[in-house]
Amino acid sequence: MDRFPEALDGLPDPVVIVDTDGIVHAGNDRVESVLGYDPVELEGTDVESLLYDPYGGTSGENLERYVSDPEPRSMAASLDLVARRADGSEVPVTVSLGPFERDGEPYLVVTMVDVKEQRAKRAELHRRTRTLEALHEATQDLLKTTDRELAASAAVEYVEEVLGHPIAAIWLYDEEIDALEPVAWTDRADELIGDHPRFTPDESSISWEVFESGDPEYVADTHADADRYNPDSLIRSELVLPLGRYGVIDVGSTERDAFDESDLAVARLWAATVTMVFVRIERERQLRVREDEIARERDRLEEFASLVSHDLRNPLNVAAGNIDLVRARFEEKNTESPELDAVARALDRMEALVEDMLALARQGETIDETEPVTLSALAQECWGNVDTAEASLTIGDDFRFRADRSRLRQALENLFANAVVHGGEDVRVEVGALADGSGFYVADDGPGIPDDLRGEVFEAGVSTDPDGTGFGLKIVAEVADAHGWSLSLADGDGARFEFRDVALAPAVTDRA
């Protein structure tokens, strides 16, 4: 028979034609370029010598089954086999079978598609997937670490165990000495290097350059790099990755150009993860320091409150009691003493100062619980607790929200008292909900806050009243801040204080 139809020469893959006994009758040109055989060499050979099933069975049996089956089969019908190349090497192929007849005899067109590259890509994809899954698990473990040095030790262990690179080390930046200090390394790195060096800006090194620039660097052949730190190092290829402002991680190999693009990408990902962990550890440390500072400040405030409530009040009470005795004696003699009245006013002033300082000191206490509060009811309750003289209170749109009732009462009473002191005994005070529903306001028609004090009105000790303590509005600001509200002084006539970002509560009747 003719060797094969000429159309087979145009096919991109190796093709052979076999009979029902598995004997090769012809092959196309691609047989030689892919498998190394001259097509003529294959004529008369058994297909068993060319193809075999790596999972058992014989290719001849499979081919015979396809040829003897009377049902026509698509060329898409395929077998996963291995082809033997002329040089003795092997290549995985997918074999497609197409039966046909020639002069009444059945034959098969056997097309072999080289799937070596495809399978290699599939295996590489599987490896990368497994690596990323392992990195994810390693990240979860690393995020539990609260110490930077322990995190560094775990990070280099994962480089060896997960990424498969046994030579790795981490240097962390020491700000006090302006140097990169080695803090963690693998056993293999310890065997090769021994005492890991300290890197400084005064000496040439790839690690310091990467730390300073923030850009990773891959050196395929360290012996060809003039900037290498140790000319006699056994490390031939090295990947140096920055860890932000914290340091660098070095991954090395004793072989030249040992890392491919996949290695570089995964290593960069791991370096970014380690940097993120260092950021979290630093923030948690700063938070702990801040919490310790707050605790110490709270202790000082409590000590101050104790001093105010005990050590200052006792002599004030003694002085006030003695004034009463002296005044009684003057009354017995039907005489008056303006100086005594001045002393009494001074003591009242000191008592007011003590009260405000005590209240301010206790603002450090956090708000643990809130409850639903109706603005109108609480405002009227507070109004009744303040000496408002001839002043009047107007309630605008009502507002129901959540707050610490005791702390808010303190703030409202301070605002009401402040309005009477600065606005006069007949001042008009209004309380109501803001138009946008975000909070409430307290306003009066008094003279307002002078322009030169508006920017600092909530600071301690600031007051327009020469006899004022300057703590009243500071207490109001502290109460708002403790609730998470924003407090501002609105423009316009009089004084208008607006509380925003207030959490609403269900609209039901307040118990007050």
Side-chain angles (χ1 to χ4, degrees):
M1 60 174 289
D2 295 334
R3 196 165 136 252
F4 56 84
E6 292 183 1
L8 295 182
D9 272 333
L11 296 177
D13 302 302
V15 175
V16 293
I17 296 176
V18 300
D19 60 22
T20 56
D21 294 324
I23 302 302
V24 177
H25 285 255
N28 68 352
D29 293 338
R30 291 293 293 168
V31 168
E32 183 171 9
S33 59
V34 175
L35 301 180
Y37 291 101
D38 186 317
V40 177
E41 292 180 65
L42 292 178
E43 293 180 9
T45 63
D46 194 327
V47 75
E48 291 279 348
S49 64
L50 183 64
L51 298 170
Y52 74 92
D53 186 348
Y55 304 107
T58 64
S59 57
E61 293 174 353
N62 291 320
L63 296 177
E64 184 178 357
R65 185 174 68 252
Y66 273 79
V67 174
S68 59
D69 191 337
E71 293 293 328
R73 289 187 176 270
S74 166
M75 289 290 287
S78 61
L79 300 170
D80 290 328
L81 303 176
V82 174
R84 297 183 179 91
R85 295 169 54 88
D87 60 6
S89 62
E90 298 179 344
V91 59
V93 292
T94 295
V95 176
S96 298
L97 308 171
F100 72 98
E101 286 189 4
R102 179 70 177 268
D103 298 329
E105 296 292 330
Y107 294 92
L108 276 179
V109 175
V110 180
T111 304
M112 293 166 280
V113 179
D114 184 349
V115 293
K116 180 179 180 180
E117 183 176 348
Q118 177 184 344
R119 290 186 181 179
K121 289 181 178 179
R122 188 183 308 158
E124 176 63 16
L125 178 61
H126 178 71
R127 185 183 70 83
R128 290 186 184 182
T129 301
R130 294 284 298 174
T131 299
L132 291 176
E133 289 175 349
L135 276 181
H136 176 72
E137 294 178 2
T139 300
Q140 299 306 308
D141 291 338
L142 200 60
L143 285 172
K144 300 174 185 177
T145 310
T146 58
D147 180 84
R148 197 171 67 166
E149 281 69 26
L150 291 178
S153 296
V156 294
E157 288 180 10
Y158 291 133
V159 170
E160 180 175 12
E161 296 174 3
V162 177
L163 305 187
H165 304 308
I167 305 174
I170 285 182
W171 280 258
L172 294 181
Y173 179 63
D174 188 326
E175 187 174 0
E176 293 184 359
I177 61 175
D178 190 26
L180 290 170
E181 287 281 0
V183 297
W185 48 83
T186 60
D187 292 340
R188 180 59 176 154
D190 191 37
E191 293 173 4
L192 289 174
I193 300 173
D195 293 333
H196 286 70
R198 170 191 292 173
F199 297 122
T200 68
D202 301 326
E203 299 176 286
S204 177
S205 68
I206 301 170
S207 295
W208 185 265
E209 289 179 3
V210 168
F211 172 69
E212 200 168 48
S213 68
D215 297 323
E217 184 170 346
Y218 174 49
V219 182
D221 187 358
T222 58
H223 289 194
D225 194 312
D227 293 332
R228 67 185 184 276
Y229 183 84
N230 180 9
D232 300 323
S233 174
L234 297 176
I235 304 298
R236 288 300 306 270
S237 55
E238 185 176 25
L239 175 61
V240 185
L241 300 159
L243 301 175
R245 64 178 179 274
Y246 304 102
V248 296
I249 181 170
D250 288 14
V251 183
S253 173
T254 55
E255 298 179 7
R256 181 181 174 279
D257 200 12
F259 302 96
D260 59 22
E261 286 299 324
S262 176
D263 293 324
L264 301 181
V266 175
R268 290 190 186 101
L269 177 62
W270 184 238
T273 300
V274 175
T275 303
M276 176 190 67
V277 171
F278 285 158
V279 170
R280 181 191 58 79
I281 290 174
E282 181 180 27
R283 287 179 178 173
E284 289 185 354
R285 182 189 62 79
Q286 292 173 345
L287 180 60
R288 288 194 298 271
V289 170
R290 178 58 182 156
E291 288 175 346
D292 291 342
E293 291 175 352
I294 292 174
R296 288 193 296 270
E297 182 66 21
R298 186 178 297 116
D299 290 342
R300 288 195 294 268
L301 288 173
E302 290 178 357
E303 182 179 354
F304 174 70
S306 176
L307 172 67
V308 170
S309 62
H310 183 268
D311 294 349
L312 294 184
R313 271 198 172 135
N314 283 347
L316 282 177
N317 291 336
V318 171
N322 280 280
I323 285 179
D324 291 339
L325 292 175
V326 173
R327 182 177 283 114
R329 292 174 184 173
F330 273 95
E331 289 176 354
E332 289 176 359
K333 297 178 180 180
N334 295 318
T335 58
E336 296 181 358
S337 174
E339 294 82 5
L340 193 61
D341 291 338
V343 173
R345 287 195 298 272
L347 289 177
D348 289 341
R349 167 87 174 91
M350 292 178 67
E351 178 65 25
L353 183 61
V354 167
E355 288 291 340
D356 282 349
M357 292 179 68
L358 183 59
L360 181 61
R362 288 173 176 165
Q363 296 310 307
E365 300 173 2
T366 58
I367 290 177
D368 295 325
E369 295 184 2
T370 61
E371 59 182 293
V373 173
T374 299
L375 182 62
S376 60
L378 185 60
Q380 290 168 351
E381 177 185 338
C382 295
W383 188 260
N385 295 334
V386 178
D387 183 6
T388 55
E390 300 300 321
S392 61
L393 174 66
T394 301
I395 304 296
D397 292 336
D398 210 351
F399 188 63
R400 185 171 175 81
F401 56 102
R402 298 196 64 86
D404 181 316
R405 180 182 292 272
S406 175
R407 298 285 292 277
L408 181 56
R409 184 189 298 116
Q410 186 181 35
L412 291 180
E413 289 175 358
N414 272 280
L415 286 176
F416 293 160
N418 189 71
V420 174
V421 169
H422 297 283
E425 295 185 351
D426 61 348
V427 68
R428 291 192 297 273
V429 178
E430 182 176 351
V431 177
L434 294 173
D436 60 5
S438 65
F440 61 93
Y441 66 88
V442 177
D444 65 61
D445 63 355
I449 308 296
D451 291 341
D452 60 337
L453 294 181
R454 294 181 69 87
E456 54 187 21
V457 67
F458 298 118
E459 299 299 324
V462 177
S463 176
T464 59
D465 183 2
D467 295 326
T469 65
F471 289 115
L473 293 182
K474 175 62 175 176
I475 292 172
V476 174
E478 293 284 356
V479 170
D481 185 64
H483 282 84
W485 304 338
S486 63
L487 173 62
S488 61
L489 179 63
D491 296 330
D493 297 333
R496 178 183 169 100
F497 301 91
E498 296 183 348
F499 299 79
R500 297 183 180 275
D501 305 319
V502 181
L504 297 177
V508 296
T509 303
D510 185 34
R511 65 177 178 82

